[in-house]
């Protein structure tokens, strides 16, 4: 395999990884838009204040962040924001580790954060808008 083939392969894998990481954020953000009252109720039940503001922030981070991550736009910053958001939601909504469902959700968020930190470290790769500015 030539260096060019290897470079393209890595760029394709990077793009696929960004799309797969983004999918959960886009789906979650769109589901919050579809049922805002349920989301506000869930935020309130977690004991967090300002539930409508929390909903707006979550929808913005998930939809805008997910879209920017796919496009490779300001990828490292976006991935860092999503990582912080994901850890915050793990602790805010899934911290009852005695409950197996919460345990799984908590560590799913932590694993997703690991993937996002890889994006922070290595950027979008060749197939992203960030590559156009260099």
């Amino acid at each position: 395999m030539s260096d060019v083939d290897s470079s393209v392969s890595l760029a394709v894998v990077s793009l696929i990884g960004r799309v797969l990481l983004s999918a959960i954020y886009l789906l979650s953000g769109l589901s919050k838009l579809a049922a805002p009252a349920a989301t506000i109720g869930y935020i309130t039940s977690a004991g967090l204040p300002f539930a409508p503001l929390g909903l707006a922030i979550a929808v913005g981070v998930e939809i805008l962040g997910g879209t920017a991550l796919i496009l490779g736009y300001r990828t490292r910053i976006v991935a860092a924001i999503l990582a912080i958001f994901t850890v915050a939601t793990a602790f805010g909504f899934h911290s009852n580790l005695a409950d197996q469902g919460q345990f799984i959700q908590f560590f799913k968020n932590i694993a997703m954060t690991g993937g996002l930190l890889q994006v922070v470290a290595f950027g979008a790769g060749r197939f992203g808008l960030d590559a156009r500015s260099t």
Side-chain angles (χ1 to χ4, degrees), residues 58-118:
V59 167
V61 168
E62 290 174 342
I63 293 176
L64 295 175
T67 301
L69 195 60
I70 289 172
L71 296 174
Y73 178 72
R74 299 192 183 255
T75 312
R76 289 183 165 152
I77 294 168
V78 167
I81 291 167
L82 286 170
I84 292 165
F85 173 81
T86 304
V87 169
T89 59
F91 282 101
F93 295 98
H94 308 300
S95 60
N96 179 9
L97 301 182
D99 176 319
Q100 185 174 5
Q102 293 298 310
F103 180 87
I104 291 167
Q105 291 294 319
F106 180 88
F107 282 102
K108 173 217 31 136
N109 281 31
I110 299 304
M112 289 168 42
T113 300
L116 290 163
L117 292 177
Q118 288 289 306

